[in-house]
Amino acid sequence: GIQVEQSPPDLILQEGANSTLRCNFSDSVNNLQWFHQNPWGQLINLFYIPSGTKQNGRLSATTVATERYSLLYISSSQTTDSGVYFCAVANNNNDMRFGAGTRLTVKP
Amino acid sequence: EPEVTQTPSHQVTQMGQEVILRCVPISNHLYFYWYRQILGQKVEFLVSFYNNEISEKSEIFDDQFSVERPDGSNFTLKIRSTKLEDSAMYFCASIRLASNTEAFFGQGTRLTVV
């Protein structure tokens, strides 16, 4: 199956700081999604972004499919942004795999 | 907005018992997945299902596991004889295919084996 690597594994920020999370993948993709896992364990879809750039408030994401990576940007971070962020990637056979996640801690 | 629903949200079961986790995918979706996440760990692929058969399965998906789409709406994951290490959050997901490959995930079922 497709290999997905996320970095960094852990990230600690002060409130108000900006951050960039990275997702590298090993194959051509027809789907890439970013999720935030909430304290109840639910996967909250942030972006469906197999290519290009999208923005939603303080969050934005960019996928460069030809270079096999995606970036999630969080600006002006808040304590409520804390949690684990997952990248999930599917190849052209719809084999979807998750990265190991980035655990973000935003300190007040 | 359409959503994938999973039931129950939490299930506690005795070791050795059979459990069935249920999922109702979005109605016009054609491709389905089950994933599990042991507490604090990564989300692991179990199985994908298309056209009424398993498309792909991982090494985790051994003979204790089975999936079924019994009535065209439900998509179930059965664990025949649960072990303590089956305790995890289980997620179902579906995609429409064709021009739209966005995956929609259910809210998960937390399975606790005691």
Side-chain angles (χ1 to χ4, degrees):
Chain A
I2 190 167
Q3 304 298 311
V4 184
E5 292 183 359
Q6 290 186 244
S7 60
D10 293 280
L11 186 58
I12 300 174
L13 300 174
Q14 210 62 38
E15 200 169 26
N18 302 329
S19 61
T20 302
L21 283 57
R22 187 177 180 102
C23 174
N24 291 336
F25 44 91
S26 63
D27 200 353
S28 301
V29 296
N30 69 359
N31 180 13
L32 189 145
Q33 290 177 246
W34 284 97
F35 295 91
H36 180 212
Q37 190 161 40
N38 70 15
W40 296 272
Q42 297 171 350
L43 294 169
I44 306 303
N45 185 49
L46 299 176
F47 294 103
Y48 165 62
I49 187 164
S51 64
T53 297
K54 289 185 178 179
Q55 179 152 9
N56 185 2
R58 295 182 296 103
L59 272 59
S60 63
T62 295
T63 297
V64 184
T66 53
E67 297 187 22
R68 299 187 178 172
Y69 73 89
S70 183
L71 302 174
L72 176 69
Y73 304 96
I74 305 175
S75 65
S76 304
S77 56
Q78 301 175 358
T79 56
T80 51
D81 295 331
S82 295
V84 183
Y85 289 80
F86 289 104
C87 165
V89 185
N91 63 16
N92 293 329
N93 294 322
N94 299 308
D95 299 332
M96 183 182 298
R97 301 290 187 271
F98 280 74
T102 292
R103 181 174 298 277
L104 175 65
T105 303
V106 181
K107 296 189 170 182
Chain B
E1 183 174 297
E3 60 179 19
V4 175
T5 57
Q6 290 186 242
T7 55
S9 56
H10 190 189
Q11 180 156 359
V12 181
T13 190
Q14 295 267 349
M15 190 169 55
Q17 295 296 303
E18 174 183 285
V19 294
I20 297 176
L21 309 184
R22 302 182 192 280
C23 170
V24 179
I26 295 171
S27 61
N28 61 353
H29 283 198
L30 300 175
Y31 204 95
F32 314 109
Y33 303 88
W34 282 102
Y35 294 86
R36 81 170 187 191
Q37 184 184 30
I38 295 170
L39 186 64
Q41 298 186 23
K42 68 180 291 185
V43 180
E44 300 173 291
F45 169 75
L46 290 177
V47 66
S48 58
F49 191 86
Y50 173 66
N51 204 23
N52 285 319
E53 61 183 23
I54 289 174
S55 180
E56 189 191 9
K57 60 183 181 179
S58 72
E59 60 274 12
I60 302 169
F61 194 88
D62 61 21
D63 292 343
Q64 293 297 314
F65 291 88
S66 63
V67 288
E68 207 175 31
R69 190 161 159 77
D71 56 12
S73 62
N74 290 285
F75 178 50
T76 62
L77 174 70
K78 182 191 292 187
I79 309 175
R80 287 189 183 79
S81 178
T82 49
K83 309 182 189 67
L84 294 176
E85 54 265 36
D86 293 326
S87 295
M89 181 78 101
Y90 289 81
F91 294 102
C92 169
S94 69
I95 60 176
R96 184 175 178 184
L97 286 183
S99 60
N100 190 332
T101 60
E102 181 176 3
F104 290 79
F105 280 76
Q107 79 279 20
T109 292
R110 187 171 298 282
L111 176 66
T112 303
V113 182
V114 296

